[in-house]
Amino acid sequence: MSPTRRQILVSAFGALGATAVSGSLARLALANTTGTTDRYFVFCYFPGAWDILVSSDPKDLLIGAPVEETRIEHAWDEADASTLAAGQLELLDLPSLRPDGTPHRVTNAFEPFRGLGLSSGGNLLDRTTFVRGLSMDTLTHEVGRRRFLTGRPPTGLKARGNSVATVMASLLSTLEPIPNLAASMESYNTTEPAFASALNVNSVDDLLRALRPAALDVAPEERDRVESMLDAFRECMLTRRSPARDTALSSRKGASALVSGGYDAAFDLTANTPEMEVLRERFGIVGSSTNTVQARMAMAAQALTGGVSRVVSVQASNSCDTHFDNWGTDQVETQVEGYRAIAALASHLDATLHPSGGTWLDRTTIVAFSDFCRTPVRNGNGGRDHWLTNACFLVGPDLTPGVFGESSDEGMAPMAVDLATGLVDPAGEIPKPEHVLAALFGTLGYSDPATMPNDLRVGPYGALMSC
Amino acid sequence: MIALALLACTPEPAVVQPDPVTPVLRPEPPAPPDMGLDTVGTVETPDAASPTREVRRMDIDQLDASIRSATGGIGWDVDGVSQLQELSASLGVPDFAQRTSEDLTAGLLFQKFLDDAANAVCDTLVERELAGTSNVLLGAAGPTDTRATNAAAVDAALAAALLRYHGRRVSPGDPQLDPWTLLFDSTLTVTGGDTMAAWRSVCIGLIVHPDFYQY
């Protein structure tokens, strides 16, 4: 197999470090030539392992069945869902049907999705792709999280390979000043060019500080002198033979360019401007704190539509790790807060026209995931512990809405499916995060496991892809 | 008892004496070659950029402490709060909940906030130096001294600063000092002779230089 143009260029530029690839020309040279490039991605992480039994995989056909037989205990009457319109957990029908004709359902935790009418017709829930019955092969938070971030099983706790967000930024970014933006999220870059590394901030406030000049800044002519001295140092042989120093000085240039770019205004969420008032209203930002789920999602919206980023990763909720009676008080509310924020993001993208026509939602794929799920039976403390199974959901222009895969009717175990149809098939494969992530690459034109980016070594979950 | 008595009376075996051996003296070691110790030869010093380990960045705690140490106790503080600690999560410091190891890349955020820190501490330091309440940068140089008026004192202060900030011992006149004298002089020129700006540039330059935060 002959290497692709991209592989050759990555190899060539990789040896030169960040400097060579920081320019837009180099980025254009490295950009994806396999297929679609006009795409944006938002990765939404629900930390602490979500309980899918109260949301995306409610096992609705087993409600009322004996727990001793199913090993599935709903206990919905003990889960606080008071902020939902119904005041309690209920089921919502999805457009897709099971092979026997019964409807797929999720709970009204997705009420914000159903309530969001889209400009193209229908609502967000109708446009959502749910993937059930994923196997995470772990009960350790870090391992599950890193597997979903990279599509590869970690070595111990250590992530392997790049974050898929990094690879996406590498494949798709051309001119964005921060191709890969991450808020309260881990990100990895082991082999991709430096420009694709995430700018990783803990809060929107920190991002704002990074984009603004220092509170105490020196005069431009004084700054120029320092830069000249560093440029001279960079030119010397010692620096050019030290990738770490070269990367450091290159990053300094990048940081300086970010400040001079004037991007800060787009992220000043508390500014007293009409634009920010609309944004605060849409995302439900209250008060001056910007270290919230709502603020992070607004940041993602601004980063994409402002042309600042190609890929954004955000922590979409507070911790879902409810081992005790906080399962009853917090689990549903925590997830619903995240779904509301994602719906607000989708609403904003749907309401914002893309320069090339259509809306930003027409070009953006949203991926929501967690470490794994929680035990289908409660523990002695009234909480739920860690469970190997998982589900995720996606919204995207190249994805097929509906429900794919199943967890088992006894103990919610992952079940083998035919990846081409998403139907349970004992002769099929147990779906894993890498199959879902490969489907994302599939929407960009990658389908061969042998050449799948990030060395995923699996084919895509084909049923998810509409293209 | 009889047996014991017999045993007790058994004569000791005769000791066999070895034949006397004539000791062999070790040969004298060969005379060392003439190394010409009276003269200093040349050795091939290792290339500083040879394939040894790559430099690595100090962590945020070390950076905070280093800045304070180099500036005589001035940190990047706002209302008594260290800004490097305030920004530690964005700067990759582990929280031991989601992150257990520190990200030591000298990336965009690190560079931005390092620059902010350098601007803040150097402004305070130079103000104190020129007011005479601190003397860790100017040394024997006076507040208005330039290399045109007192080159020896300024060069000595620059050499001392290079040792203090980068651990690099150079003598005034050493070519390694040239970038710093140039920085001092050129800042003076572009600011119309503002020595505070010149010393501040030197201070900022020393902190944002990779030799300060990478080792």
Side-chain angles (χ1 to χ4, degrees):
Chain A
M1 183 185 67
S2 59
T4 63
R5 184 179 72 100
R6 176 181 161 71
Q7 286 168 328
I8 294 169
L9 288 166
V10 166
S11 167
F13 285 131
L16 299 178
T19 314
V21 294
S22 57
S24 54
L25 281 177
R27 281 202 226 173
L28 285 167
L30 293 176
N32 175 34
T33 52
T34 302
T36 309
T37 57
D38 190 17
R39 290 292 179 265
Y40 302 81
F41 285 86
V42 181
F43 292 89
C44 301
Y45 170 57
F46 287 71
W50 55 13
D51 182 2
I52 57 178
L53 198 53
V54 299
S55 54
S56 56
D57 191 4
K59 302 304 293 180
D60 48 293
L61 299 179
L62 300 176
I63 292 175
V67 175
E68 313 83 64
E69 292 178 12
T70 62
R71 305 300 300 160
I72 296 171
E73 177 191 19
H74 286 82
W76 284 0
D77 54 335
E78 295 184 39
D80 179 13
S82 56
T83 60
L84 295 172
Q88 60 186 1
L89 283 174
E90 292 181 343
L91 294 166
L92 302 178
D93 282 351
L94 295 173
S96 66
L97 300 175
R98 291 187 171 88
D100 64 4
T102 55
H104 279 119
R105 295 187 178 102
V106 292
T107 73
N108 55 344
F110 286 97
E111 197 176 79
F113 279 37
R114 191 176 60 169
L116 175 59
L118 299 174
S119 58
S120 56
N123 60 55
L124 185 61
L125 191 59
D126 296 341
R127 289 266 294 270
T128 303
T129 303
F130 291 93
V131 189
R132 294 174 177 168
L134 293 172
S135 176
M136 298 304 296
D137 296 345
T138 185
L139 296 174
T140 304
H141 290 295
E142 294 87 344
V143 176
R145 174 170 68 238
R146 288 164 192 166
R147 185 163 192 162
F148 230 119
L149 287 172
T150 62
R152 298 173 63 178
T155 303
L157 295 180
K158 188 174 171 58
R160 289 198 299 146
N162 310 293
S163 296
V164 167
T166 302
V167 182
M168 290 298 186
S170 173
L171 289 173
L172 300 173
S173 177
T174 51
L175 299 172
E176 294 83 5
I178 309 174
N180 184 8
L181 175 63
S184 303
M185 289 278 288
E186 293 175 15
S187 185
Y188 300 96
N189 185 1
T190 56
T191 59
E192 294 297 325
F195 75 78
S197 292
L199 183 79
N200 205 328
V201 294
N202 185 52
S203 67
V204 184
D205 273 344
D206 287 2
L207 175 63
L208 204 51
R209 289 181 72 168
L211 298 177
R212 280 182 169 161
L216 188 66
D217 204 7
V218 296
E221 61 270 20
E222 201 176 323
R223 171 172 291 280
D224 286 346
R225 295 296 86 217
V226 175
E227 297 307 325
S228 295
M229 181 273 295
L230 291 173
D231 286 345
F233 174 72
R234 190 174 174 183
E235 282 303 308
C236 82
M237 181 62 75
L238 185 68
T239 308
R240 276 188 274 142
R241 290 172 63 177
S242 168
R245 289 187 165 173
D246 204 38
T247 299
L249 292 170
S250 175
S251 296
R252 180 174 170 82
K253 292 273 183 201
S256 183
L258 280 185
V259 172
S260 59
Y263 305 109
D264 56 314
F267 300 99
D268 190 0
L269 303 179
T270 58
N272 190 22
T273 62
E275 183 197 0
M276 287 303 157
E277 278 179 25
V278 170
L279 206 66
R280 286 194 293 269
E281 171 99 19
R282 178 169 281 154
F283 284 87
I285 298 170
V286 181
S288 59
S289 173
T290 57
N291 194 13
T292 62
V293 171
Q294 293 80 9
R296 287 194 288 270
M297 213 59 82
M299 179 203 77
Q302 291 290 85
L304 293 183
T305 58
V308 174
S309 301
R310 179 65 71 144
V311 182
V312 184
S313 304
V314 292
Q315 189 170 301
S317 76
N318 296 318
S319 176
C320 300
D321 203 15
T322 51
H323 290 275
F324 304 94
D325 55 6
N326 56 350
W327 173 81
T329 55
D330 298 348
Q331 183 62 233
V332 174
E333 297 302 302
T334 301
Q335 287 192 49
V336 169
E337 184 183 37
Y339 301 155
R340 283 198 177 114
I342 292 173
L345 170 66
S347 170
H348 184 84
L349 297 176
D350 190 45
T352 309
L353 295 178
H354 190 278
S356 302
T359 71
W360 278 86
L361 190 60
D362 296 335
R363 290 172 165 77
T364 305
T365 298
I366 300 171
V367 184
F369 65 99
S370 189
D371 308 335
F372 32 76
C373 78
R374 311 206 71 81
T375 46
V377 176
R378 287 187 302 163
N379 61 28
N381 297 313
R384 296 183 190 269
D385 300 319
H386 300 172
W387 201 239
L388 295 161
T389 310
N390 207 353
C392 68
F393 65 84
L394 312 95
V395 178
D398 310 306
L399 300 168
T400 306
V403 177
F404 301 92
E406 292 280 355
S407 58
S408 71
D409 286 349
E410 184 176 347
M412 290 186 77
M415 295 181 75
V417 298
D418 177 349
L419 293 174
T421 63
L423 297 175
V424 172
D425 179 357
E429 283 191 69
I430 298 284
K432 295 177 178 170
E434 45 267 41
H435 293 108
V436 177
L437 297 168
L440 298 182
F441 287 121
T443 64
L444 301 180
Y446 296 90
S447 55
D448 182 359
T451 57
M452 189 61 71
N454 213 27
D455 198 18
L456 293 185
R457 303 186 190 192
V458 297
Y461 200 140
L464 312 183
M465 298 158 49
S466 63
C467 52
Chain B
M1 289 296 287
I2 294 172
L4 279 174
L6 287 174
L7 190 62
C9 298
T10 304
E12 290 185 6
V15 175
V16 178
Q17 296 291 335
D19 291 335
V21 176
T22 306
V24 179
L25 297 175
R26 289 185 180 180
E28 287 290 328
D34 181 11
M35 300 291 286
L37 295 177
D38 294 338
T39 58
V40 178
T42 57
V43 293
E44 191 174 338
T45 53
D47 181 358
S50 65
T52 54
R53 80 161 173 81
E54 178 60 287
V55 292
R56 65 172 67 114
R57 203 205 78 194
M58 55 172 69
D59 66 29
I60 295 302
D61 286 342
Q62 291 167 335
L63 180 68
D64 199 1
S66 297
I67 288 175
R68 289 175 199 279
S69 175
T71 58
I74 302 169
W76 184 28
D77 299 331
V78 175
D79 296 331
V81 177
S82 164
Q83 295 304 289
L84 288 173
Q85 300 304 327
E86 178 107 332
L87 292 161
S88 61
S90 286
L91 287 169
V93 176
D95 56 6
F96 297 101
Q98 285 199 35
R99 185 188 299 155
T100 54
S101 61
E102 186 153 349
D103 177 5
L104 295 179
T105 51
L108 289 179
L109 282 182
F110 176 83
Q111 293 293 348
K112 171 60 170 69
F113 294 136
L114 176 69
D115 196 61
D116 290 0
N119 285 354
V121 300
C122 290
D123 193 68
T124 306
L125 173 64
V126 173
E127 264 186 11
R128 291 183 188 178
E129 294 276 321
L130 297 183
T133 57
S134 163
N135 190 7
V136 295
L137 185 63
L138 268 63
T144 57
D145 281 348
T146 65
R147 295 184 69 248
T149 61
N150 191 353
V154 172
D155 284 0
L158 291 172
L162 207 54
L163 178 62
R164 186 177 185 89
Y165 284 73
H166 295 176
R168 192 181 297 273
R169 188 182 297 277
V170 298
S171 305
D174 189 303
Q176 291 186 66
L177 208 56
D178 290 351
W180 305 99
T181 54
L182 179 63
L183 176 59
F184 184 87
D185 288 344
S186 61
T187 308
L188 265 184
T189 303
V190 298
T191 58
D194 184 348
T195 51
M196 176 166 176
W199 283 112
R200 188 170 51 214
S201 281
V202 168
C203 171
I204 292 172
L206 286 164
I207 290 178
V208 300
H209 193 286
D211 281 354
F212 184 73
Y213 57 82
Q214 288 181 325
Y215 61 95

